[in-house]
Amino acid sequence: RPGSAAGVVFATIEDETGVANIVIWPSVLERFRRAVLGSSVLEVTGRIQRSEEGVVHVVAEALADRSALLAGLEGEGAVPPRLPGSRDFH
């Protein structure tokens, strides 16, 4: 949380289609704090904004911890995913 951001949290997410920035307003962070701080896989629901330069922003409206989905990746011959550590911002 940058000091000049008035409590807004900015995060970067990535999937097979590319990278996007998540904008999490303080009121949304309070409602979904556990998911934001504790998940390895985070589902984000919100409004998509695209800048003229092609940068994608998702203004979060709801967030959900989907870490349990990682268990489905385990199995015979499966390689456990390597997830990057998160940065503390609380």
Side-chain angles (χ1 to χ4, degrees), residues 42-88:
L42 184 65
E43 177 183 318
V44 180
T45 302
R47 294 181 325 276
I48 295 177
Q49 300 176 343
R50 295 187 203 307
S51 72
E52 291 180 11
E53 297 83 17
V55 178
V56 177
H57 302 282
V58 179
V59 180
E61 296 171 352
L63 301 134
D65 183 352
R66 298 294 186 230
S67 301
L69 295 173
L70 292 174
L73 297 177
E74 296 174 4
E76 191 174 320
V79 176
R82 290 184 175 213
L83 300 173
S86 67
R87 292 184 277 161
D88 278 341

Side-chain angles (χ1 to χ4, degrees), residues 1-74:
R1 265 191 268 198
S4 62
V8 178
V9 171
F10 301 94
T12 303
I13 56 173
E14 182 176 0
D15 68 7
E16 66 276 0
T17 64
V19 175
N21 300 308
I22 308 171
V23 180
I24 307 171
W25 292 103
S27 60
V28 175
L29 179 62
E30 280 307 308
R31 286 195 336 253
F32 301 102
R33 183 175 192 79
R34 182 173 294 201
V36 172
L37 296 178
S39 65
S40 296
V41 177
L42 184 65
E43 177 183 318
V44 180
T45 302
R47 294 181 325 276
I48 295 177
Q49 300 176 343
R50 295 187 203 307
S51 72
E52 291 180 11
E53 297 83 17
V55 178
V56 177
H57 302 282
V58 179
V59 180
E61 296 171 352
L63 301 134
D65 183 352
R66 298 294 186 230
S67 301
L69 295 173
L70 292 174
L73 297 177
E74 296 174 4

